């Protein structure tokens, strides 16, 4: 039987698809992947589509409307967290799973994953438009290489401009960062003594994954302690989900629990979505509470101090100005930094002066 279930968000955001580095998710890829699966395994193969709710906030209005229409027609399922639903349905129905996720957080709860790696498939689409399916690389878990407490690792743009302007990926199968974010890291890399970009998870040399677009930084901190714990680059057209556990196109605050301490306890699995949008007035960060259990507050910067926090309404987009900040579950602070990096302009300037 070749019936399958598809992780729609993973397909839309996939970096293993031409054109590589496209701006934002591309829903048309789902149709191409579904058609390719049926072309290979029979037109009568049933294909279920499962959609993370967070995906809707990364799509254009037209694409989001089209996806909601599929959900209304019963042709797709819209759920808070897709991974759980995909695995439960796949196990119950003997379905094949089309996803780039290796489901590391679910291996103990679902031992059948490692028992049946042949049911997990990833995709490749080349420049000629041909979609091919390959094994997803499910294998028994092995000890994960980590670098503990790497500190504030944002590369200095003056000393390492090329590293700042480049996306990076870790290819080490034993690394938690490499296995979780196989497409590209959502965090800044470390820089070794030789000036090379290295993985913050295993210290191996990273592979370049294309040029970055214009971006802003997002700073994460323990709201009570105040010290910065992590800084993330957020590119125009990208969306980043903050929460706990493995998240497609997201950042696992729980994975840094030894640094956040108790602050992360009240953060939901998919708590908040951040998106950097571009308009006539420039870029602006948009935040959406994804239905978190313990809420999100926004604290506006008025030029002199922070105003008292106001709760975000669930599923409502809020525009953040530089230095505005959010508080997740009363514990984790998220702040939009003043720093703006126009990677393309900086690269062009460097080429002109070089």
């Amino acid at each position: 039987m070749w019936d399958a279930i598809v992780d729609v968000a993973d397909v839309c955001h996939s970096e293993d698809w031409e054109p590589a580095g496209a701006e934002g998710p591309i829903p048309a890829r789902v149709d191409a992947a579904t058609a390719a699966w049926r072309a290979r395994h029979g037109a009568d193969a049933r294909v279920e589509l499962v959609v993370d709710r967070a995906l809707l906030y990364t799509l254009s209005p037209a694409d989001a409307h089209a996806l909601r229409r599929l959900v209304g027609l019963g042709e797709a399922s819209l759920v808070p967290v897709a991974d759980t639903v995909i695995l439960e349905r796949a196990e119950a129905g003997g379905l094949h799973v089309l996803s780039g996720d290796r489901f590391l957080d679910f291996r103990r709860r679902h031992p059948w994953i490692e028992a049946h790696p042949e049911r997990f498939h990833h995709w490749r689409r080349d420049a000629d438009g041909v979609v091919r399916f390959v094994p997803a690389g499910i294998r028994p878990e092995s000890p994960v290489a980590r670098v503990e407490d790497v500190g504030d690792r944002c590369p200095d743009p003056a000393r390492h401009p090329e590293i700042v302007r480049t996306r990076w990926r870790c290819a080490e199968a034993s690394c938690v960062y490499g296995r979780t974010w196989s497409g590209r890291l959502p965090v800044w890399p470390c820089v070794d003594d030789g000036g090379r970009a290295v993985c913050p998870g295993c210290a191996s040399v990273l592979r370049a994954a294309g040029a970055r677009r214009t971006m802003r930084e997002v700073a994460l901190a323990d709201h009570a302690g105040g010290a910065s714990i992590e800084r993330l680059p957020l590119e125009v057209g990208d969306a980043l989900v903050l929460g706990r556990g493995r998240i497609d196109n997201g950042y696992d605050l729980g994975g840094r629990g030894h640094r956040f301490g108790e602050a992360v306890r009240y953060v939901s699995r998919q708590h908040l979505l951040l998106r950097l949008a571009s308009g006539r007035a420039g870029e602006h960060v948009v935040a959406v509470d994804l239905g978190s259990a313990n809420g999100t507050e926004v604290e506006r910067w008025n030029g002199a101090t922070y105003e008292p926090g106001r709760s975000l309404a669930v599923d409502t987009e809020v525009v953040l100005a530089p230095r505005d900040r959010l508080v997740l579950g009363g514990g984790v602070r998220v702040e939009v930094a003043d720093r703006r990096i126009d990677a393309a302009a900086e690269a062009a300037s460097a080429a002109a002066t070089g």
Side-chain angles (χ1 to χ4, degrees):
M1 183 181 74
W2 291 101
D3 292 347
I5 191 164
V6 180
D7 184 342
V8 171
D10 204 42
V11 175
C12 290
H13 285 288
S14 178
E15 296 287 325
D16 297 309
W17 200 286
E18 293 290 341
E23 182 171 324
I26 303 178
R29 292 172 172 172
V30 179
D31 294 333
T34 300
W37 183 260
R38 287 179 171 145
R40 180 173 180 178
H41 299 296
D44 58 344
R46 183 170 57 89
V47 178
E48 295 186 32
L49 306 179
V50 180
V51 184
D52 261 316
R53 184 172 61 180
L55 178 65
L56 293 176
Y57 299 101
T58 70
L59 300 174
S60 68
D63 285 338
H65 176 76
L67 196 54
R68 288 187 184 277
R69 184 173 180 274
L70 288 179
V71 173
L73 293 172
E75 297 179 15
S77 300
L78 184 65
V79 298
V81 181
D83 292 349
T84 303
V85 174
I86 287 171
L87 292 174
E88 289 176 352
R89 292 184 183 177
E91 182 177 19
L95 306 177
H96 292 262
V97 178
L98 308 187
S99 174
D101 195 341
R102 294 186 178 93
F103 300 102
L104 300 177
D105 291 347
F106 296 88
R107 300 291 183 89
R108 290 185 179 181
R109 193 184 316 167
H110 295 278
W112 71 273
I113 295 173
E114 293 184 1
H116 295 283
E118 75 282 357
R119 285 167 53 187
F120 292 82
H121 310 266
H122 194 40
W123 47 81
R124 296 285 187 275
R125 185 176 189 269
D126 58 31
D128 295 327
V130 178
V131 178
R132 298 180 175 87
F133 293 96
V134 298
I138 300 293
R139 57 179 63 88
E141 290 189 71
S142 57
V144 176
R146 293 178 182 265
V147 171
E148 298 294 338
D149 204 358
V150 296
D152 192 1
R153 61 172 173 268
C154 176
D156 183 344
R159 296 179 57 197
H160 308 292
E162 195 61 34
I163 289 179
V164 171
R165 296 195 295 258
T166 304
R167 297 171 179 165
W168 300 97
R169 62 184 294 265
C170 178
E172 291 295 323
S174 62
C175 174
V176 65
Y177 281 17
R179 295 199 298 179
T180 303
W181 297 307
S182 58
R184 58 177 158 124
L185 298 178
V187 298
W188 289 113
C190 297
V191 181
D192 68 9
D193 293 338
R196 300 176 301 178
V198 297
C199 179
C202 67
S204 64
V205 176
L206 295 172
R207 295 182 182 179
R212 292 191 186 275
R213 298 183 290 271
T214 299
M215 66 191 113
R216 287 194 178 273
E217 280 190 323
V218 175
L220 307 178
D222 182 330
H223 190 49
S228 176
I229 293 176
E230 184 77 272
R231 288 192 285 169
L232 311 174
L234 185 64
E235 297 180 42
V236 167
D238 277 358
L240 181 73
V241 176
L242 301 178
R244 288 197 299 170
R246 200 277 184 189
I247 310 167
D248 279 333
N249 200 50
Y251 180 82
D252 176 14
L253 293 161
R256 307 285 283 173
H258 65 291
R259 302 187 70 193
F260 282 100
E262 291 295 304
V264 77
R265 172 182 290 186
Y266 300 106
V267 173
S268 296
R269 179 171 177 82
Q270 291 202 11
H271 195 114
L272 182 82
L273 179 138
L274 295 173
R275 176 169 54 86
L276 184 57
S278 181
R280 293 181 179 178
E283 301 86 29
H284 55 274
V285 175
V286 176
V288 182
D289 185 295
L290 298 173
S292 64
N294 295 295
T296 303
E297 289 191 341
V298 58
E299 298 178 350
R300 300 287 189 182
W301 176 253
N302 62 20
T305 187
Y306 283 100
E307 298 175 357
R310 300 180 62 180
S311 295
L312 295 189
V314 172
D315 292 337
T316 301
E317 294 190 346
V318 174
V319 176
L320 303 177
R323 297 199 66 182
D324 285 351
R325 64 191 190 189
L326 303 165
V327 182
L328 280 55
V332 175
R333 190 174 70 219
V334 180
E335 184 173 348
V336 180
D338 289 328
R339 184 184 182 198
R340 174 184 182 273
I341 303 171
D342 188 336
E346 290 183 10
S349 176
T353 58

